[in-house]
Every structure is written in C-alpha cells, then in structure tokens.
C-alpha cells in the first residue's frame, strides 16, 4: 500500500454527513432563523479581525470589546491573529473566552473562527509547515498533497480552529503576481486535480470530527490574472479565457465539497467581483451549484466604494455586494458593515429574503462543524498536534518538491570529501525557506519559527563537517555580509565548489509586489563575483516565483529549484546536493528567459511562431526551463506507447499505455505525464495540454507499464459560444518523447 494512503487512513477515517443529518440541520437552522431579529442576522454576516476584541498582547482578550462584538453586534465570525502565531494553549484560552461570551447571548449562537493555514497551521507555534502550493505542484503527488492536508486539518483543529481559508485555486499564469507561490502553477489540470483533492481531504472525515475543518476556495474568480502583476489590481479577462483556464479549478472544488469560498479582491473587466451578481450568483451558485458560504476578502466591500468607485456611498457598496451574493463581510476592523446593512434593509435596498439566505448558509456551516453541540476547543484534538510522523511527512514533501533544473557534466551529486563555500542571502535564512503565512503574515520574523529549524548552511555542515565548509554569510536574508562579493572571492580560494543560495525572502500579498522579475542587483553582483573565481557553482534557488537568472545561468554548473518548501527545506536541499535523495520534482510553470518572452507551455500555435522575412520560425516558446523540467540522478526511457483505438467514438474511453524503464544505476521516482494536442478546432487549439499524470518508483533496470484512460471530456475546450465542447478531428497523444495520433468522431 502507498505509504501516503496509509498515513491518511491512520490520521482519520472517512465519515460523510448523511442526508438525514442534513435534513435535521436544515430544520434546526430554519427554526433558529425564525427566532432571530434583523440585527442578529446581520451580525452573523459580520466578520471582524482579532485585533478588534484583543489587546496589544498577542492572545489576550479585551472583555469589554468582546462583549461589544459578540453581544451587542452578534458577530458571526472572527479571524486572524494580532501579530504572530500563538501556542495551542493560548488558542484554547482565547477561543474559550469567545465561546463563553457567545453563551451569554439571547440565542447562544456560536462564533466561527477562521485562519489562513495555507501550508500547514500557519498561526500556531511549532505547527508543521509544508511546501507552499507551488512546491506541492512540483511533487506531482496527489496522495502526498492529501496527506499534508490531513496534518494541517489536525493541527488547526487541535488549536481549536474549525475554518481554514485554503486552498488557493487561482491559476498561476502571471509570474509577477505576489501570490504566485500560493498557486499550483500555470497548468489547469494540476490546479483542478490537486486543488480538489486538498479540498476533499480537509472535509471528508466529517466536519463535526476533530480531524476535519471547513475549507475555502480562493479566490473566486480570476484573481491571479492581474494585468500588471500587482496584487489587487485590475484584471481584463475575456470570458472564453476565464472559462478555459480559471473556472475549472473551482468547478472541481465545488464537486469535492468545499464549504466556503472567498471572493477575488480585484475588478474583472471593470466590475468589482464582490459586486458582480453574474459571477457570484449566475456562475458560482446557479451554474456550479455551490451552496456554501461566500465570504469577502479583507475590507473589500468597503473598497467597492473607496477604491473602485462603482458605488457612490459606503451603504450602496454594502447593498451591491450582498445583493450580488456575498454572505459574510470580512469588514474587518469595525462594525460599519453591520450598521450599513441594517440601514439598507430598512430602506428596502436589500431584501430580508436575501439576508435569510446568507444567514442560513452561515448557520448551516456552524451546524455541520458541530459548534452548536460544542462551541469550545476540543481537548481530545490536542493529541493530534505535533506528532513525530508529521516531521517525516514534511521531509517527504520537501524532498519531492526539489526540482533539479541543471546538472552540467553530472556535477551533482557532490562529494562529501571536498571543501565548499556556502554563500548568498538564502544560506542562513529560515524565512526564505518557508515564505509567506509562516507564523506571521509575511513570514519574515524568524524568532517565531521552531527552535530546531535548520538553515542550508547547517545542513551542509551536517553532511561534510564544519571543517569542510566556509561561509561569507550571516543570519537572516538581508544581512550586509550576505552580499559581500569581495569576501566571497577571497574565501573561494581554498574550496572545491561554491554553493550559491539566491532567491527571495518571504513576502505575502501586496508587500510582495515587484516591478521586475530580475533578481536584485546585490544578488546579481554576488553571482558575478562567484563566477569570477572560476570555481564550479551550484545555484540553489529558494523563491516563490521565477526570478530571472538568464544572465548567470550559463556559468552555473548545477541549479536546484527548492521553492519555499517548509520546515524541512534545508534538509531536503542538502540531501539532494549530496546524493542522499534522488530529486524527482517537475517545474509547475515555465521558467521565463526574459520579460519579453513570457509564453506559457499551453500556448496557441501563433505564440509559437516568430515570423522572420515571411519564414515561420518556431521559437516563440523559449523559456529558460520548460514546464515539466525536472532532472534525476538516474535516467528513464519510454517505449511501447499504445492506444486502445485509433478511432474514438462518442463517450468511449481511450486507454493509453506506455512502458517506462529506469536505465540508470540508482532507484528513482518519476512522474509520467500524458499530454494531448487538438490539431484543428473552431477555436485556435493549444499546442499541448496536460491531461493525466502518475508518479512511479523504479529500481535500476526495472520497467513498468503505466496506464491512463481519457475520454472526450479530457479533450474538450470552450468555444466561441462559451460552451465546453469536443469537436471531431485528429488528436495527438504525447508521453515523454513518444507520440501517437487518433481520430475523435
């Protein structure tokens, strides 16, 4: 049995909410709703940040402020931390005080608490952090993604929190975007399959169980398609593109049972998504069939007035967004939404029926989560926090994320009997290994990381001994010594190789906005200093998005992409560099060569062509490293690609098989990817699309036949009438260096 299957089974068993339970909850919600005043209903739709009811001391409650929020304003939800992560006991104490206060209200409706636990339980000290989504996409391992999700759910619930604002389903097709590391990369198929699996893993045990939490699809819809790459900036997205590349992930997540959705902060084609009835009601509710809670993002209903200027007053903004389909407002600092919505109802700008609809969804979620039965943190859930096996899983995930991009003359793996210079700002930075949402929002404050967290420098010293390692670095990413090129040149004289650690320090959301994908000048200068020594250089990249390295890549002997891979990133890096782990990650995006050539792998034929004097030259897709790149210390060969038929008809399945052999000298994991191409269609077809993948493990000399099944739905596209169709014609199946064609009729 796959060990991740086993771990998932051990963490929890699958228990689905029965139809009988659902009916019972619906009756309870209806009965409760009938007793509620308008003020109590609108309070349920109000979400505030912890700072409103807390003090300047993290984890402390201002009892008077709490009473004002919960008793006077009937708030339905609280989120966030004041500054940094808390201990499990601090969470239990805080949440108990909130539950106690809710018990004093007329109807005793519990408060639902929510956090952004996007790569582990972000906001509990010593919780286990795993790779960011972009690193998990590199693993191409669905079962591994589910296993780490189960741990996140366990550690959230152990903290007393039952609502997680995860996972991000935005398609990462704009590499400048500061939330790119939270995505599963540029491919739709990886995004929808891994995303849906994660959503299901959060919830499938049953929301009333201590191994599950309510998930949240983020951010509906098109958030990542920012025209200028800045966070929360305008998006211009033709609907045909929206439906082809950005909607499928949410469609699958709805099918997987997502309990909630968070709305895109920006505007799409000039309309704030929070105020778009077309997107939030017509598509999300009616077309996709979503019936969970729709929550705004941070302060975004206010911004319909203050930023976007489509509402002429704050009250009009509230009315527009609630009427469009927002059920809960992340206000988050005050009670203006509460006051304005009550006023809007009195003025008949929002109907009571719409209020009841929103509140019913919120109450139903609280029912499913068992909050009405027990609104307090569950003492028994504490046993699921910090288990030793979680650290093993974190290392497994970091290992499988590691993506080897270059290995010139087989310079890797390195010998443990030579001397090394470890340089660069990433060498002694913990935050640059974890990235955003890591015990603090930005992830930069290293005092909150677990005390046993290791740096790249430490793990290399562990491999070869401190006497064989020289460094020119200091702790933290921004330290001046980290960028001293002269010191690097001097220190390199007596070493055999330079391990150069470059990339990005942690950032989240708008603070991560950049104007250029180029590495900063200090890092470029450091790389040039390393090149000037004439020593072999291994470049280790810890970054959330692809920063340009085109000018230094030719002089790098080896390049390892480590992403932001969580608690065990440094250990995984050292294991790969010194041959104790055979890398098997694959790039989940096309690593661009230059700003003028950001072309995605599933490009249109015309994007592939650069016309020169009427000659069509196919150089349009010319990234530094292509989507799917990922080297190994062994070699794999493909043979015997077979299709079950050359003529696929109607709803029939096309069965595809291929033999994969490990032709090298060591064991290795390998992801087999199946792509298709539609040669001609009514809409210019993509050059290739990933349709299936499977990760296998092969010993030296071992071969395995990998089988896939696809059908017309896997070949479909969105046509000019915005319908998803499969047109008759010729298709090509591509696996590795092999291809076969068939006709669809």
């Amino acid at each position: 049995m796959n060990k991740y299957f086993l771990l998932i089974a051990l963490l929890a068993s699958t228990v689905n909410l029965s139809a009988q339970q659902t009916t019972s909850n619906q009756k309870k919600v209806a009965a409760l709703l009938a007793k509620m005043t308008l003020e109590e209903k609108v309070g349920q739709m109000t979400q505030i940040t912890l700072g409103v009811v807390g003090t300047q001391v993290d984890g402390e409650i201002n009892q008077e402020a709490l009473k004002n929020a919960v008793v006077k304003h009937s708030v339905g939800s609280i989120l966030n931390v004041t500054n940094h992560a808390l201990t499990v006991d601090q969470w239990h104490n805080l949440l108990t005080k909130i539950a106690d206060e809710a018990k004093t209200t007329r109807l005793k409706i519990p408060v639902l608490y929510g956090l952004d636990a996007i790569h582990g339980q972000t906001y509990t000290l010593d919780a286990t952090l795993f790779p960011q989504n972009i690193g998990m996409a590199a693993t191409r391992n669905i079962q591994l993604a589910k296993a780490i999700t189960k741990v996140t759910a366990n550690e959230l619930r152990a903290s007393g929190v039952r609502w997680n604002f995860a996972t991000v389903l935005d398609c990462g097709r704009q590499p400048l975007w500061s939330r790119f590391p939270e995505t599963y990369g540029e491919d739709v198929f990886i995004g929808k399959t891994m995303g849906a699996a994660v959503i299901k893993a959060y919830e499938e045990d049953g929301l009333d169980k201590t191994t599950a939490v309510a998930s949240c699809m983020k951010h509906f819809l098109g958030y990542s398609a920012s025209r200028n790459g800045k966070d929360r900036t305008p998006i211009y997205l033709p609907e045909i593109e929206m439906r082809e590349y950005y909607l499928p992930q949410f469609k699958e997540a709805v099918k997987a049972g997502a309990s909630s959705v968070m709305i895109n902060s920006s505007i799409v084609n000039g309309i704030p998504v929070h105020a778009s009835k077309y997107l939030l009601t017509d598509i999300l509710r009616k077309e996709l069939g979503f019936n969970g809670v729709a929550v705004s993002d941070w302060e975004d209903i206010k911004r319909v007035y203050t930023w976007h200027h489509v509402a002429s007053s704050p009250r009009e903004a509230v009315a527009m967004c609630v009427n469009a389909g927002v059920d809960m407002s992340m206000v988050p600092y005050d009670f203006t939404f509460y006051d304005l919505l009550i006023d809007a109802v009195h003025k008949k700008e929002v109907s009571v029926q719409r209020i009841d609809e929103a509140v019913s969804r919120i109450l139903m979620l609280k029912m499913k989560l068992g909050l009405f039965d027990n609104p307090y943190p569950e003492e028994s859930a504490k046993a699921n926090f910090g288990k030793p096996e979680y650290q093993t899983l974190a290392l497994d995930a970091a290992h499988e994320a590691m993506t080897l991009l270059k290995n010139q003359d087989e310079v890797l793996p390195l010998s443990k009997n030579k001397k090394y210079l470890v340089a660069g700002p990433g060498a002694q930075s913990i935050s640059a290994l974890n990235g955003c949402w890591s015990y603090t929002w930005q992830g930069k404050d290293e005092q909150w990381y677990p005390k046993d967290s290791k740096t790249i420098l430490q793990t290399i010293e562990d491999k070869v001994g401190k006497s064989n390692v020289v460094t020119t670095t200091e702790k933290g990413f921004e330290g001046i010594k980290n960028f001293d090129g002269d010191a690097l040149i001097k220190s390199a004289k007596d070493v055999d190789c330079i391990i150069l650690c470059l990339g990005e320090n942690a950032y989240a959301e708008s603070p991560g906005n950049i104007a250029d994908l180029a590495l900063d000048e200090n890092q470029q200068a450091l790389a040039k200093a390393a090149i000037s020594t004439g020593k072999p250089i291994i470049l280790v990249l810890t970054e959330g998005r692809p920063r340009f390295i085109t000018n230094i890549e030719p002089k790098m002997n080896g390049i390892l992409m480590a992403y932001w891979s969580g608690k065990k990133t440094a250990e995984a890096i050292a294991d790969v560099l010194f041959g104790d782990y055979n890398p098997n990650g694959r790039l989940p995006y096309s690593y661009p060569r230059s700003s003028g050539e950001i072309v995605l792998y599933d490009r249109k034929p015309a994007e592939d062509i650069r016309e020169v004097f009427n000659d069509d030259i196919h150089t349009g897709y010319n990234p530094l490293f292509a989507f799917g790149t990922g080297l190994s210390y062994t070699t794999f060969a493909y043979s015997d690609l077979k299709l079950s038929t050359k003529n696929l008809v109607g709803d029939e399945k096309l069965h595809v098989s291929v033999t994969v052999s490990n032709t090298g000298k060591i064991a290795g994991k390998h992801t087999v990817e199946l792509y298709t191409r539609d040669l001609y269609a009514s809409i210019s077809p993509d050059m290739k699309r990933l349709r299936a993948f499977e990760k296998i493990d092969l010993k030296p000399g071992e071969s395995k036949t990998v089988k896939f099944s696809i059908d017309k739905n896997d070949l479909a596209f969105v046509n000019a009438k915005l319908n998803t169709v499969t047109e008759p014609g010729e298709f090509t199946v591509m696996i590795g260096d092999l291809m076969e064609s068939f006709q669809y009729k």
Side-chain angles (χ1 to χ4, degrees):
M1 179 183 286
N2 182 301
K3 68 176 176 179
Y4 302 121
F5 276 119
L6 182 59
L7 180 58
I8 292 166
L10 287 173
L11 285 169
S13 59
T14 300
V15 182
N16 292 317
L17 192 68
S18 69
Q20 188 175 4
Q21 285 176 300
T22 300
T23 302
S24 174
N25 284 342
Q26 288 171 339
K27 289 179 180 178
K28 291 177 183 177
V29 166
L32 182 56
L33 195 66
K35 299 176 184 177
M36 296 173 72
T37 65
L38 174 62
E39 290 75 15
E40 288 168 330
K41 292 174 182 177
V42 170
Q44 287 299 304
M45 298 172 67
T46 303
Q47 185 182 62
I48 57 172
T49 188
L50 177 61
V52 175
V53 298
T55 71
Q56 291 301 309
V57 179
D58 288 275
E60 283 193 0
I61 287 287
N62 179 324
Q63 205 62 45
E64 186 177 338
L66 180 64
K67 187 175 291 291
N68 180 51
V70 175
V71 179
K72 183 179 179 180
H73 290 96
S74 305
V75 296
S77 181
I78 301 176
L79 80 155
N80 211 15
V81 291
T82 308
N83 297 298
H84 61 75
L86 307 175
T87 66
V88 169
D89 288 339
Q90 283 177 310
W91 273 121
H92 276 237
N93 180 57
L94 184 152
L95 294 169
T96 295
K97 289 179 178 178
I98 293 172
D100 282 343
E101 197 62 55
K103 284 281 191 180
T104 71
T105 61
R106 187 176 75 92
L107 296 174
K108 300 178 174 53
I109 299 174
V111 173
L112 175 57
Y113 211 97
L115 289 177
D116 292 90
I118 68 166
H119 68 122
Q121 196 341 37
T122 307
Y123 284 131
T124 299
L125 294 174
D126 292 316
T128 315
L129 295 188
F130 299 101
Q132 300 276 348
N133 280 354
I134 199 70
M136 290 310 300
T139 72
R140 302 292 204 273
N141 190 331
I142 299 293
Q143 294 304 321
L144 181 55
K146 291 179 68 174
I148 71 166
T149 301
K150 294 288 190 183
V151 173
T152 302
N154 275 356
E155 297 202 320
L156 267 165
R157 198 76 178 228
S159 306
V161 178
R162 305 191 194 188
W163 189 12
N164 189 14
F165 303 131
T167 186
V168 170
L169 298 170
D170 302 303
C171 201
R173 299 174 77 80
Q174 164 53 289
L176 271 172
W177 195 48
S178 60
R179 304 195 74 164
F180 188 89
E182 298 178 53
T183 76
Y184 291 107
E186 72 186 52
D187 177 65
V188 177
F189 182 76
I190 294 174
K192 74 179 185 180
T193 53
M194 193 164 279
V198 165
I199 291 287
K200 188 173 182 181
Y202 275 127
E203 303 208 17
E204 65 185 352
D205 296 345
L207 294 183
D208 58 337
K209 302 298 185 293
T210 58
T211 54
V213 293
S215 65
C216 188
M217 309 179 288
K218 297 194 318 191
H219 304 81
F220 193 85
L221 180 69
Y223 188 27
S224 56
S226 166
R227 184 162 68 171
N228 63 16
K230 305 297 188 295
D231 190 36
R232 298 188 174 212
T233 54
I235 294 144
Y236 293 90
L237 190 61
E239 187 159 354
I240 190 170
E241 186 175 350
M242 179 191 80
R243 288 179 173 276
E244 186 69 53
Y245 303 107
Y246 297 91
L247 188 61
Q249 298 87 324
F250 290 90
K251 184 177 181 180
E252 292 303 312
V254 170
K255 290 179 184 176
S259 287
S260 65
V261 63
M262 190 177 290
I263 310 307
N264 173 2
S265 296
S266 191
I267 60 176
V268 172
N269 302 331
I271 300 173
V273 179
H274 282 75
S276 174
K277 192 165 187 176
Y278 175 63
L279 291 177
L280 301 188
T281 298
D282 293 349
I283 293 184
L284 179 63
R285 301 291 184 186
K286 296 178 181 178
E287 185 176 327
L288 299 191
F290 178 67
N291 57 14
V293 174
V295 61
S296 86
D297 206 338
W298 192 269
E299 212 171 54
D300 280 329
I301 289 181
K302 289 185 177 184
R303 290 168 178 169
V304 170
Y305 166 66
T306 60
W307 282 20
H308 304 310
H309 297 262
V310 300
S312 59
S313 69
R315 190 184 75 236
E316 186 181 8
V318 167
M320 287 176 69
C321 295
V322 172
N323 285 331
V326 177
D327 298 320
M328 181 181 285
S329 174
M330 192 185 290
V331 189
Y333 292 114
D334 54 44
F335 302 101
T336 52
F337 172 83
Y338 174 91
D339 295 329
L340 292 167
L341 183 52
I342 290 172
D343 195 23
V345 174
H346 287 320
K347 288 182 167 61
K348 300 191 184 304
E349 294 166 350
V350 177
S351 70
V352 173
Q353 181 182 5
R354 171 68 192 107
I355 299 296
D356 287 351
E357 179 183 60
V359 177
S360 294
R361 291 171 182 152
I362 295 165
L363 295 177
M364 177 61 79
L365 180 55
K366 293 181 179 184
M367 289 273 184
K368 289 180 178 179
L369 284 165
L371 284 167
F372 280 94
D373 297 321
N374 176 22
Y376 293 97
E378 298 137 315
E379 196 66 26
S380 63
K382 282 186 177 181
N384 289 328
F385 188 86
K387 292 183 176 182
E389 58 262 37
Y390 297 171
Q391 297 300 310
T392 302
L393 184 61
L395 182 58
D396 287 345
H399 273 153
E400 293 204 27
M402 296 296 114
T403 305
L404 185 58
L405 300 178
K406 185 177 182 180
N407 192 13
Q408 183 177 308
D409 300 324
E410 296 186 350
V411 64
L412 294 169
L414 299 172
S415 167
K416 294 178 183 178
N417 298 314
K418 292 185 177 181
K419 290 197 171 184
Y420 298 94
L421 168 61
V422 180
Q428 292 198 67
S429 172
I430 299 296
S431 58
L433 306 181
N434 289 275
C436 54
W437 308 102
S438 298
Y439 309 110
T440 61
W441 173 42
Q442 292 296 304
K444 286 186 176 182
D445 197 342
E446 295 196 1
Q447 68 172 305
W448 303 112
Y449 283 87
K451 301 306 179 188
D452 63 345
S453 297
K454 289 193 172 185
T455 64
I456 298 172
L457 175 64
Q458 288 173 312
T459 59
I460 291 173
E461 289 175 341
D462 290 345
K463 292 291 184 186
V464 301
K466 286 189 177 183
S467 61
N468 289 321
V469 178
V470 178
T471 189
T472 54
T473 64
E474 60 182 323
K475 289 185 177 180
F477 194 88
E478 310 295 345
I480 295 174
K481 287 184 179 179
N482 294 329
F483 304 97
D484 190 336
D486 291 336
L488 185 154
I489 292 170
K490 291 177 183 177
S491 299
K493 290 180 181 178
D494 297 322
V495 303
D496 298 293
C497 179
I498 299 170
I499 298 172
L500 184 61
C501 307
L502 304 182
E504 299 184 302
N505 199 6
Y507 54 81
E509 301 188 61
S510 296
N513 285 346
I514 53 176
D516 193 341
L517 279 173
L519 283 174
D520 62 81
E521 292 181 358
N522 286 336
Q523 292 194 67
Q524 292 188 54
L526 190 70
K528 290 173 182 176
I531 292 168
S532 74
T533 68
K535 302 284 185 175
I537 305 170
I538 307 302
L539 176 61
V540 177
L541 294 169
T542 52
E543 57 188 21
R545 56 197 159 190
R547 304 301 295 264
F548 291 142
I549 56 170
T550 307
N551 59 333
I552 62 173
E553 179 273 330
K555 298 298 183 179
M556 299 296 114
N557 301 82
I559 301 176
L560 179 65
M561 169 55 70
Y563 312 97
W564 290 338
S565 291
K567 170 71 182 298
K568 295 294 186 178
T569 307
E571 289 91 332
I573 289 169
D575 284 346
V576 168
L577 293 183
F578 292 95
D580 292 323
Y581 186 81
N582 188 1
N584 50 73
R586 284 193 171 219
L587 265 185
Y589 51 80
S590 303
Y591 204 117
R593 187 179 295 274
S594 65
S595 60
E597 289 286 357
I598 297 181
V599 181
L600 307 182
Y601 94 90
D602 53 6
R603 62 212 181 270
K604 299 297 183 184
E607 291 180 274
D608 209 41
I609 295 169
R610 294 295 178 265
E611 189 178 36
V612 181
F613 300 115
N614 295 322
D615 291 327
D616 291 346
I617 301 174
H618 289 260
T619 58
Y621 184 64
N622 187 31
L624 191 62
F625 301 105
F627 175 86
T629 296
L631 304 177
S632 171
Y633 294 151
T634 190
T635 53
F636 298 94
Y638 292 81
S639 62
D640 206 20
L641 175 60
K642 292 180 179 178
L643 308 184
S644 59
T645 181
K646 289 286 188 177
N647 293 287
L648 186 65
V649 179
D651 296 328
E652 290 178 353
K653 293 278 188 182
L654 178 69
H655 302 291
V656 182
S657 65
V658 66
T659 299
V660 184
S661 303
N662 183 342
T663 55
K665 297 179 180 179
I666 63 172
K669 293 183 179 180
H670 182 68
T671 301
V672 183
E673 298 185 325
L674 184 153
Y675 296 85
T676 66
R677 181 182 177 187
D678 189 349
L679 270 63
Y680 299 95
S682 59
I683 292 294
S684 183
D686 294 340
M687 290 294 291
K688 61 190 298 191
R689 289 289 289 271
L690 182 63
R691 302 302 189 185
F693 59 83
E694 183 178 336
K695 197 161 196 174
I696 60 175
D697 200 343
L698 293 176
K699 297 173 184 176
E702 184 182 6
S703 296
K704 184 174 290 186
T705 299
V706 179
K707 299 179 179 180
F708 300 102
S709 291
I710 60 174
D711 60 26
K712 68 176 184 181
N713 297 312
D714 298 301
L715 310 173
F717 65 93
V718 179
N719 70 8
K721 294 181 179 180
L722 303 181
N723 296 320
T724 300
V725 299
T726 307
E727 294 177 346
E730 185 178 359
F731 291 82
T732 301
V733 171
M734 296 165 278
I735 301 180
D737 55 354
L738 306 177
M739 61 178 63
E740 289 285 344
S741 295
F742 69 94
Q743 293 283 335
Y744 175 71
K745 298 181 180 180

